[in-house]
Amino acid sequence: MNETRRAVLDALADGPVSGPELAAALDISRNAVWKHVEALRTAGFEIESTSDGYLLGEVPEFGPAVEYGLDAPFEVEYHDSIGSTNDRARELAGENARDVVVLADEQIGGRGRLERAWVGPSGGIWMSFVLRPTIPPAHAPLLTLAAAVAVTRAAREAGVPAEIKWPNDVLVSEGRANENQSAQPPSEGRGGDKLCGILTEMEGEANRVSWVIVGTGINVNIAADDLPEGATSVQEVVGPVNRRVFAQRVVEEFHALRTDLDAVLPAWRELSATLGQQVRVETPEGDVVGEAIDIVTPGALVVDTDDGEVRVHAGDCDHLRPAN
Ligand code: BTN
């Protein structure tokens, strides 16, 4: 959001402010104040003209308003519809951008892991963080785990019993989604229905990251019919929520973790659906089967197999059953 526009909103946060007062406070002309107010109204902010001045009413449920009231140093670039927020984020990274969140209501060319397509109908939170962290490339997976933790925390705040399946799928297991109605054991295989997927892309040299894009696709206010098989949404579990608040909580939690990477693994362990499970991880070197007992830097799963402990860095993970 334009900086002056943000300053207009901040000035209106505590009650009505007249045009001349705003002009003086922001050091702009009264005509410029009027133009900014009109632009904000077009973006969906309710701004009433009263005898005491401009009065801020309803803030839009989503859109550029996500940057308003955001407690994290990210600029938000919002699109009603876009091919892929990751593609746009890569363009921005190529132009030296940093600390930008590319956000969209609808994504028509979304990309998932392993070259899969990602379905992104209107109602989701499709967003990509453009980052320039000073970490070695080998530590970049911590940022992916941080995003999974951030989404899971925001989902839980919204009342969704989300968990993380290694490495970074946010799921709601069948038993947990209906836990007030019936206590079913978690399903085998995927471990639950997918609420969010994360696609991280990076450019760098041997010991230096140039940029990292963390693309986060969260199924929020989306009806079951519009979701792919095996997916769920916040709406399906607890009903529709305010996406501005949800997106802000994700960005704020993500920011807290990216500035304190030592906190990522402990937070991930607490929210994990995988630790303590019998798992099968498909890796290029073959399947690793055993009990998932820990996660270690920068995100390797430690599996206790019949042949001893194995550290798995990447692969597709199936939950077989809880370990005894
Ligand atoms: C997965 O396969 O689980 C990862 C899916 C990642 C989807 C998100 S939606 C926002 C961002 N833009 C994309 O094109 N992909 C990621």
Side-chain angles (χ1 to χ4, degrees), residues 84-86 107 109-113 118 126-128 169 194 197-199 215-217:
S84 154
T85 55
N86 264 37
Q107 207 178 220
R111 296 187 283 112
R113 288 169 58 229
W118 177 264
W126 320 120
M127 69 178 166
S128 302
D169 280 348
K194 189 152 162 171
I198 299 168
L199 176 67
T216 309

Side-chain angles (χ1 to χ4, degrees), residues 50-261:
T50 72
S51 52
D52 293 328
Y54 294 115
L55 183 65
L56 181 61
E58 281 283 301
V59 175
E61 184 266 337
F62 199 51
V66 169
E67 198 176 304
Y68 172 62
L70 176 65
D71 193 10
F74 277 99
E75 188 189 313
V76 177
E77 182 186 286
Y78 174 76
H79 300 261
D80 282 328
S81 182
I82 196 169
S84 154
T85 55
N86 264 37
D87 289 350
R88 173 63 188 143
R90 289 177 72 113
E91 270 173 32
L92 289 170
E95 294 161 12
N96 269 330
R98 66 167 63 220
D99 295 349
V100 179
V101 172
V102 180
L103 177 70
D105 172 44
E106 178 193 55
Q107 207 178 220
I108 52 181
R111 296 187 283 112
R113 288 169 58 229
L114 309 172
E115 316 268 310
R116 292 176 188 139
W118 177 264
V119 177
S122 170
I125 295 179
W126 320 120
M127 69 178 166
S128 302
F129 294 89
V130 182
L131 310 167
R132 292 188 177 277
T134 47
I135 55 171
H139 285 187
L142 284 172
L143 292 166
T144 316
L145 301 181
V149 169
V151 172
T152 306
R153 285 180 171 167
R156 289 189 178 194
E157 275 175 29
V160 179
E163 297 175 303
I164 309 172
K165 188 181 83 158
W166 184 84
N168 49 47
D169 280 348
V170 179
L171 306 177
V172 182
S173 75
E174 215 175 280
R176 310 260 351 239
N178 303 314
E179 70 189 358
N180 294 335
Q181 297 144 30
S182 64
Q184 299 167 23
S187 46
E188 272 198 14
R190 282 191 323 266
D193 291 330
K194 189 152 162 171
L195 188 73
C196 164
I198 299 168
L199 176 67
T200 297
E201 299 177 287
M202 180 177 70
E203 191 169 274
E205 290 146 26
N207 53 3
R208 201 185 123 261
V209 165
S210 169
W211 52 254
V212 178
I213 306 295
V214 181
T216 309
I218 317 168
N219 300 324
V220 186
N221 294 339
I222 304 175
D225 284 353
D226 297 325
L227 290 166
E229 213 197 307
T232 189
S233 69
V234 172
Q235 176 174 312
E236 283 304 301
V237 183
V238 293
V241 295
N242 182 309
R243 280 183 298 161
R244 173 172 48 81
V245 174
F246 197 111
Q248 287 174 337
R249 291 299 301 123
V250 175
V251 176
E252 288 163 2
E253 288 289 340
F254 179 73
H255 174 64
L257 289 164
R258 73 156 175 161
T259 51
D260 181 14
L261 287 177

